[in-house]
Amino acid sequence: MADLVNLTIDGVAVAVPKGTLIVDAAKKLENNIPVFCYHPKLKPVGMCRMCLVEIGTPKVDPATKQVIKDDKGNVVIAWQPKLNTACTNPVSEGMAVRTATPVVDGARSDVLEFLLTSHPLDCPVCDKGGECPLQNLTLEHGPGISHFDYESKQHNAKHVPLGDLIFLDRERCIQCSRCIRFQDDIADDHVLQFHDRGRHMEIVTMSEPGFDSYFSGNTTDICPVGALTTADFRFKARPWELDHTPSLCTHCAVGCNLSLNTRLETRTGGHEIKRIMPRQNEQVNEIWTCDKGRFVHEFTSARERLTKPLVRKNGALVETGWDEALALIADKLQGAGSSVAGVVGDRVPNEDAYLFGKLFREVLHANNGRHPVQLGMSPSLPMHYADVARAHGLGVNADFKQLGKGDTILIVNGDVEEQAPVWFLRLRQAVVDRGAKLIIAHHRSTKMHRYASRIITYAPGNAAQWLASPDGALDELKEARNLVVVFGDEKCDPVNARGLALGLAGLITAAGHAGKQNSGLLPLYPHANTQGVYDMLGLETPGEDLQPPAAVSWTIGVGEPNDVPPSRASGAKPFAIVQELFLTEIAQQADVVLPVLSFAERDGSFTSGDRRVQRFYAGLPVAHGSQAKSDWWIFQEIARRLGVSWSFGTAAAIFGEMAGQVGYYVGLNYDGLGASETQWPPMGREDLYYGGTVYDNEGGIGVRYPTAVESGRAVSFKPVQLVTPSMGALSRPARRLYQNGELIGRSNVIGAHIEVTQ
Ligand code: SF4
Ligand code: SF4
Ligand code: FES
């Protein structure tokens, strides 16, 4: 237990850890001291004076150094002669704070009156209206009148683009510097700064292109006024018109918790995502998202979404009904026997991947020695390493926030900012703010290199070879309190990627960190459910190539052509079934194409890269006229046509069965994943002034499943024989955040950032 300090706030006693600021101690008592510049995730600066309170400390006799007590035995408090800021002063033993006196009320009113002298009366047209701390605090504490001349207000041209994603309204800025401090202290992108002084002071961007950061959207959440607005939401809706649904990001393995803000559009007659906001989960993303997670959502309402099944007739794909498409598939599967191969993309939810695996195992009986289903994940096909990461991953109660002095973070062959941006923020803080040691081994430089105390290089594609050489011994890891090993597969051949994972697991064990809560492997998977799909398909023993499908190939939610295993089939082309959102390049070649629901129109669960199983919920109804279905519904209908009667009515029902069947998930339940717990510091709808417009954690914080060590499983892995890096692997570009793809490619907002790689 941290050292506790006792104090009273408005006469109410509270005990808080040493070092706690008065503003946060008051929050423990649900005493909301108003703030503008203070934010619980940023270092205090004491700039706005909104948090002024009366502070007193026990009076001490200078001669005896004893606390003075009055006739009744009460400690005499020496009150400071002036008001002081609750956001910069830490608590001390015996401190007394007054937050509700006439002098405090007067100060709050005065500060607001001053702020409003430069602030336009824009609320009716301001995007922040309805969720604006300045508006709310003015109603609660403001003067109601102004002594200042309206004509002396600032009148600037509106809406300066800071970049193409974020716009600035200079008059609205109250100069709190939250945006600058977020960019400097959390994102380490020094792209914003104040320019000029006094009433002319304004935010400017110093980067070229403007506001050049993967995390820019977060500044609009914590800006306490409508000075910063996003390109996708400004002038599009008012907050009170929006429905909000707990969801998850599908774009990388972090599993950021999100809220889908949706509305019925009279323009189109359909519901749309108007914006995506972070949802607080202190275990996963705290209150942050990267800009890809926030802005890449237009694909959900894209006109090109598939809405009806397609079958190939006379060489062309033509629309048909579900009955014809499903009957055709059932007929082909019956004729194919066990000669069916499936590929499942790693954005497909757990429930669907589980039912696909069950269909193969129990209905198609295709598992004749080789697993017929592969995880659609370039570049690690078919030799995967999710089993190694699962066995040697972080402990079930691991907490990024506990990493600090004495701990070592080793990053091998991974670019954390590009591949798991919010992990970049959190791991960086462990190093820069809390003193963890960072060692990086990579063939090229990454942003994380800025913080490394040791940098190791090797030839591209040779990460596993380097680790297996005497240079990879890294004896210093034994001295660490904990060892987190983050790794990626950039430019690795599949067998070498697996070899790297095995080598790193061995390194953790050899250094004495196996089984520790805050130690283990952290893989930089490409998408939201790489681990989950792997788990669901029961790919216990990867290592063999997927054999060319002789009769039927079945591709689920893969998206990119290079995520499909290279076909080595000779002779007859297999009958190809594709389930997709869009008529992708792969779908265009198929014999049957089935339209499926996106993550926004259905519920389900994903398993993050650190094995946290989390739920997402349906935020949009199925578009009018669309016949798209969940992948799992399709599998069930096909099973029925093959004579097996399943009766799963919901994703929850599938999860219920799965959690009794899939080893690592035994004991989890769907309701449990949806359970929330109190988050600290508290953020969300009631605390706009304090944390910003982040949503609270309704919908659940998820549950991490235990590693093999923790669940008492004996696991052993066959060593692999490393190969000389192939030209194919070496010429493959590094995975970047804005790499072009089927989903990001449909985002107009992020369009200018998309990188087209060959
Ligand atoms: S733009 Fe917003 S966050 Fe930035 S200084 Fe101005 S008011 Fe503060
Ligand atoms: S860090 Fe990953 S999961 Fe989080 S918002 Fe960005 S892409 Fe999505
Ligand atoms: S000075 Fe304390 S919140 Fe700004």
Side-chain angles (χ1 to χ4, degrees):
M1 176 74 78
D3 286 350
L4 288 180
V5 173
N6 298 287
L7 70 157
T8 62
I9 300 176
D10 295 339
V12 182
V14 62
V16 292
K18 193 175 167 190
T20 302
L21 298 166
I22 293 171
V23 64
D24 295 329
K27 196 77 194 156
K28 289 263 185 211
L29 297 173
E30 298 184 12
N31 179 334
N32 294 336
I33 297 174
V35 296
F36 285 120
C37 69
Y38 179 68
H39 187 283
K41 295 282 181 189
L42 302 172
K43 293 186 192 91
V45 285
M47 287 169 69
C48 74
R49 321 312 281 176
M50 189 61 204
C51 66
L52 290 170
V53 291
E54 293 184 53
I55 300 174
T57 46
K59 194 166 191 172
V60 175
D61 184 328
T64 64
K65 309 280 187 236
Q66 295 297 307
V67 168
I68 300 171
K69 295 190 175 169
D70 65 13
D71 299 347
K72 294 181 182 147
N74 295 325
V75 172
V76 175
I77 296 294
W79 292 97
Q80 294 178 4
K82 302 270 186 195
L83 297 176
N84 211 330
T85 45
C87 74
T88 56
N89 282 286
V91 297
S92 62
E93 187 64 30
M95 178 183 271
V97 179
R98 291 195 292 230
T99 74
T101 61
V103 67
V104 171
D105 288 346
R108 290 173 179 175
S109 173
D110 289 348
V111 170
L112 282 162
E113 187 177 354
F114 275 118
L115 285 176
L116 294 174
T117 65
S118 300
H119 197 84
L121 302 176
D122 256 5
C123 301
V125 294
C126 176
D127 285 301
K128 205 79 168 186
E131 54 184 11
C132 174
L134 179 60
Q135 198 177 53
N136 295 352
L137 292 180
T138 300
L139 286 171
E140 206 174 333
H141 304 287
I145 53 151
S146 176
H147 296 90
F148 292 85
D149 181 8
Y150 177 79
E151 293 309 317
S152 72
K153 277 183 182 290
Q154 295 297 293
H155 297 290
N156 292 318
K158 291 284 192 181
H159 296 121
V160 179
L162 286 177
D164 59 339
L165 299 177
I166 308 294
F167 289 77
L168 168 70
D169 186 313
R170 289 171 291 177
E171 298 166 358
R172 293 181 189 155
C173 175
I174 59 167
Q175 302 166 352
C176 71
S177 84
R178 277 183 176 186
C179 55
I180 297 172
R181 287 180 287 140
F182 169 82
Q183 289 300 142
D184 287 353
D185 299 347
I186 307 239
D188 199 18
D189 292 327
H190 305 268
V191 296
L192 298 181
Q193 190 53 277
F194 281 129
H195 173 71
D196 218 334
R197 286 288 180 269
R199 288 166 73 86
H200 299 289
M201 188 153 91
E202 63 182 68
I203 295 286
V204 292
T205 179
M206 303 172 303
S207 63
E208 181 55 49
F211 211 154
D212 191 14
S213 171
Y214 284 162
F215 304 100
S216 65
N218 295 297
T219 61
T220 65
D221 294 334
I222 60 174
C223 177
V225 292
L228 298 178
T229 50
T230 59
D232 69 336
F233 186 65
R234 56 194 289 268
F235 302 138
K236 293 283 171 54
R238 310 316 306 260
W240 57 85
E241 301 168 343
L242 301 172
D243 292 323
H244 50 95
T245 307
S247 191
L248 299 172
C249 179
T250 66
H251 298 307
C252 89
V254 174
C256 287
N257 290 207
L258 307 175
S259 177
L260 306 183
N261 283 195
T262 58
R263 192 184 75 169
L264 176 64
E265 284 299 291
T266 46
R267 181 175 46 86
T268 60
H271 286 76
E272 277 180 16
I273 295 175
K274 303 307 293 182
R275 65 177 182 181
I276 283 184
M277 302 292 277
R279 179 167 59 102
Q280 186 181 19
N281 187 336
E282 290 296 312
Q283 288 294 319
V284 179
N285 53 309
E286 303 183 30
I287 60 166
W288 314 122
T289 70
C290 75
D291 288 350
K292 185 174 185 184
R294 184 183 299 265
F295 294 121
V296 178
H297 56 75
E298 286 158 275
F299 69 89
T300 56
S301 52
R303 284 175 176 276
E304 314 89 73
R305 281 281 300 274
L306 292 170
T307 58
K308 295 199 172 71
L310 306 173
V311 296
R312 188 168 295 281
K313 290 181 180 167
N314 300 322
L317 286 169
V318 294
E319 287 185 356
T320 186
W322 277 106
D323 280 343
E324 186 190 3
L326 293 171
L328 177 63
I329 291 171
D331 184 52
K332 292 290 178 187
L333 289 173
Q334 254 155 353
S338 64
S339 185
V340 184
V343 181
V344 183
D346 51 356
R347 280 185 170 105
V348 170
N350 287 329
E351 294 70 23
D352 307 69
Y354 171 76
L355 218 58
F356 194 54
K358 182 179 166 84
L359 185 70
F360 271 76
R361 283 191 308 275
E362 298 181 11
V363 183
L364 302 175
H365 306 291
N367 194 355
N368 51 0
R370 286 201 167 93
H371 205 291
V373 188
Q374 291 281 348
L375 181 57
M377 176 191 148
S378 178
S380 296
L381 277 170
M383 186 82 78
H384 213 289
Y385 46 79
D387 53 338
V388 184
R390 176 173 65 188
H392 295 276
L394 298 175
V396 73
N397 293 316
D399 184 353
F400 280 46
K401 284 189 189 159
Q402 288 172 9
L403 294 174
K405 197 164 172 45
D407 300 324
T408 295
I409 298 167
L410 170 66
I411 301 174
V412 181
N413 211 44
D415 188 333
V416 186
E417 194 197 31
E418 296 286 348
Q419 294 160 359
V422 167
W423 281 350
F424 165 81
L425 299 183
R426 305 195 75 199
L427 292 172
R428 179 190 167 273
Q429 283 188 314
V431 176
V432 174
D433 295 349
R434 300 193 296 275
K437 179 177 180 180
L438 177 63
I439 303 172
I440 300 186
H442 207 313
H443 61 262
R444 65 176 175 89
S445 183
T446 70
K447 187 167 161 189
M448 266 289 188
H449 278 65
R450 294 178 189 174
Y451 325 111
S453 55
R454 186 170 163 207
I455 292 170
I456 299 154
T457 51
Y458 45 75
N462 281 277
Q465 286 83 348
W466 158 75
L467 189 63
S469 74
D471 293 346
L474 296 179
D475 286 337
E476 66 200 280
L477 302 180
K478 292 188 181 132
E479 293 152 21
R481 184 177 59 175
N482 290 292
L483 173 62
V484 173
V485 180
V486 189
F487 71 102
D489 53 20
E490 191 176 320
K491 298 208 181 289
C492 285
D493 287 272
V495 65
N496 293 343
R498 184 168 177 82
L500 178 64
L502 287 169
L504 293 171
L507 194 69
I508 292 170
T509 305
H513 301 295
K516 289 186 185 172
Q517 277 306 302
N518 285 316
S519 295
L521 292 175
L522 192 57
L524 294 170
Y525 295 138
H527 297 124
N529 205 31
T530 313
Q531 184 69 59
V533 171
Y534 186 90
D535 295 341
M536 294 304 124
L537 295 178
L539 301 172
E540 292 287 350
T541 52
E544 292 189 82
D545 288 359
L546 181 67
Q547 292 305 294
V552 175
S553 79
W554 198 343
T555 309
I556 319 295
V558 167
E560 313 306 322
N562 64 358
D563 285 349
V564 180
S567 170
R568 280 180 240 150
S570 55
K573 186 172 163 290
F575 180 81
I577 309 163
V578 170
Q579 295 177 199
E580 260 302 352
L581 297 175
F582 300 101
L583 196 60
T584 59
E585 219 177 304
I586 305 168
Q588 287 168 28
Q589 309 301 319
D591 297 291
V592 184
V593 182
L594 304 176
V596 295
L597 299 177
S598 77
F599 81 106
E601 295 136 2
R602 47 158 301 173
D603 69 332
S605 66
F606 293 136
T607 304
S608 69
D610 61 338
R611 307 185 327 285
R612 180 168 290 269
V613 190
Q614 305 188 96
R615 276 177 67 177
F616 61 93
Y617 300 77
L620 292 174
V622 181
H624 184 67
S626 171
Q627 296 176 14
K629 299 287 186 188
S630 300
D631 291 294
W632 66 257
W633 180 92
I634 298 170
F635 304 143
Q636 175 158 277
E637 288 299 314
I638 290 169
R640 280 187 187 148
R641 283 163 176 78
L642 294 173
V644 177
S645 188
W646 294 338
S647 53
F648 297 108
T650 59
I654 301 171
F655 191 96
E657 178 182 302
M658 176 273 283
Q661 300 286 323
V662 177
Y664 285 87
Y665 291 67
V666 168
L668 299 188
N669 70 75
Y670 209 59
D671 287 346
L673 303 185
S676 294
E677 62 184 42
T678 307
Q679 303 281 292
W680 185 263
M683 313 249 182
R685 299 285 85 195
E686 299 300 316
D687 287 303
L688 286 170
Y689 80 97
Y690 186 67
T693 46
V694 56
Y695 277 73
D696 59 18
N697 74 342
E698 61 175 9
I701 58 169
V703 178
R704 186 185 281 139
Y705 69 72
T707 61
V709 175
E710 289 170 319
S711 56
R713 284 160 198 278
V715 284
S716 63
F717 302 104
K718 275 195 273 176
V720 296
Q721 200 66 41
L722 301 182
V723 298
T724 306
S726 68
M727 276 316 291
L730 290 175
S731 59
R732 200 174 46 229
R735 201 157 28 86
R736 307 255 298 166
L737 188 65
Y738 293 144
Q739 187 170 309
N740 197 14
E742 288 292 343
L743 306 188
I744 194 171
R746 291 180 164 78
S747 171
N748 289 321
V749 176
I750 215 97
H753 301 257
I754 296 174
E755 296 182 29
V756 180
T757 49
Q758 298 305 316

